[in-house]
Amino acid sequence: MKVAVATDDKVNISHHFGRTLGFRVFEINSKTILNEEYRQNIGKSNGQCGSCDHSSMINNIKDCDLVICYGMGMGIYNDLVRNNIKAVITEEITVDGAINKLIEADLINRLDKLH
């Protein structure tokens, strides 16, 4: 499984998917991290509502099965689902904390935080 985690500083989870600077992408197999890489967020928002390019952002992580972030809009959520990428909205603060909880099947998905 490949997992992209939205992050601005490679440590903490970004508060908004569309504005994140990039993604730490993990390849996980049987509770083991096999590989990790960093990808810049192509198509990110410039701060104006509707300014992010969903197609570019999704193409950048299209090989991922799952994306984790702290918040996102319903539009990008629906676009991710249409592209067979599951979105998890978390209250975890750090990337490593979220990945560890995911590996242990203890990561809570707060879809009620979609806006």
Side-chain angles (χ1 to χ4, degrees):
M1 161 173 56
K2 271 198 177 175
V3 180
V5 185
T7 182
D8 294 327
D9 61 6
K10 300 180 184 175
V11 174
N12 297 300
I13 296 175
S14 178
H15 280 251
H16 194 277
F17 181 86
R19 294 185 195 119
T20 191
L21 297 178
F23 303 95
R24 280 177 64 189
V25 177
F26 298 86
E27 186 175 352
I28 302 169
N29 186 10
S30 186
K31 295 189 175 191
T32 302
I33 297 172
L34 302 176
N35 191 31
E36 179 186 346
E37 65 178 294
Y38 179 79
R39 299 178 190 172
Q40 289 185 328
N41 184 13
I42 300 167
K44 70 179 172 60
S45 170
N46 64 14
Q48 299 292 323
C49 184
S51 66
C52 52
D53 178 354
H54 291 188
S55 293
S56 293
M57 288 190 301
I58 289 170
N59 282 335
N60 192 29
I61 58 168
K62 67 183 173 199
D63 60 330
C64 296
D65 306 290
L66 179 81
V67 65
I68 299 172
C69 70
Y70 195 82
M72 73 173 55
M74 190 60 83
I76 189 64
Y77 173 82
N78 289 330
D79 288 345
L80 287 164
V81 169
R82 277 192 285 277
N83 283 274
N84 299 313
I85 301 171
K86 180 180 179 183
V88 173
I89 311 303
T90 185
E91 290 185 332
E92 289 298 314
I93 295 172
T94 66
V95 174
D96 291 337
I99 289 296
N100 289 334
K101 285 207 172 190
L102 176 69
I103 288 172
E104 294 303 319
D106 196 27
L107 186 64
I108 296 170
N109 194 354
R110 294 287 314 272
L111 291 179
D112 59 301
K113 293 176 59 175
L114 286 170
H115 57 273

